[in-house]
Amino acid sequence: STRPQTLAYPLTDSPIGLLAWIYEKLHDWSDNYPWTDEEILTWVSIYYFSTAGPGAAGRIYYEVTHSKEYEEVLKWNGRVKLGLAHNPKDLDVFPRLWSRTLGNAMYEAVNESGGHFYATEKPELLVRDLRRMFKDGLKGV
């Protein structure tokens, strides 16, 4: 979005509008995960009742991508150890080689399913990935 505050006003003004907006993201950005009413309402509540308000999510994406440091973030950083999980229904699915250009990939998983909300959709795979990545305490890193 080029003007995230424009979206923030109606999302703050209308809880039903916020519900529709969040539900669309949960539906479209996941890999056929069966969201329960409680999970959906929890997401809506977190956005609606947070101190920053529903517009905060849009602002952070805008601010990050429009900052002077954004291009620096995308450059190789050998000091940062990366764990990569490739999920077929994520927002952006890049070639694996591209991800490795950001830093030292200590661990990499290519999953057969999963989307943007990986931690909720496939918690068992996230736990597997974290255990494998940190099993040796990152020795030799």
Side-chain angles (χ1 to χ4, degrees):
S1 173
T2 58
R3 298 177 188 222
Q5 195 59 37
T6 303
L7 178 60
Y9 293 126
L11 294 180
T12 302
D13 186 55
S14 172
I16 298 300
L18 179 62
L19 170 65
W21 185 73
I22 288 179
Y23 183 77
E24 175 197 28
K25 306 303 178 237
L26 294 174
H27 177 270
D28 292 354
W29 295 356
S30 62
D31 192 3
N32 296 316
Y33 180 78
W35 296 99
T36 66
D37 291 347
E38 183 175 347
E39 288 173 317
I40 294 166
L41 292 174
T42 298
W43 279 89
V44 171
S45 296
I46 289 169
Y47 276 77
Y48 197 76
F49 297 117
S50 71
T51 302
R59 275 195 304 277
I60 191 69
Y61 287 112
Y62 176 84
E63 290 171 10
V64 166
T65 58
H66 289 81
S67 73
K68 294 177 184 175
E69 295 82 18
Y70 184 62
E71 288 189 21
E72 289 298 313
V73 171
L74 298 177
K75 290 182 180 176
W76 173 270
N77 185 342
R79 294 174 291 144
V80 176
K81 309 309 176 209
L82 301 177
L84 305 172
H86 302 278
N87 300 312
K89 295 289 187 169
D90 210 338
L91 294 179
D92 296 311
V93 180
F94 299 108
R96 292 172 54 196
L97 183 60
W98 289 11
S99 301
R100 296 183 205 136
T101 64
L102 296 174
N104 186 8
M106 298 294 302
Y107 175 79
E108 190 167 1
V110 178
N111 297 311
E112 293 181 14
S113 62
H116 184 69
F117 303 101
Y118 177 54
T120 301
E121 296 173 72
K122 303 288 181 178
E124 68 283 356
L125 296 182
L126 177 61
V127 169
R128 176 206 66 191
D129 293 343
L130 290 171
R131 284 181 175 157
R132 288 180 181 173
M133 183 175 173
F134 292 104
K135 78 175 184 173
D136 296 325
L138 295 179
K139 292 179 183 169
V141 177

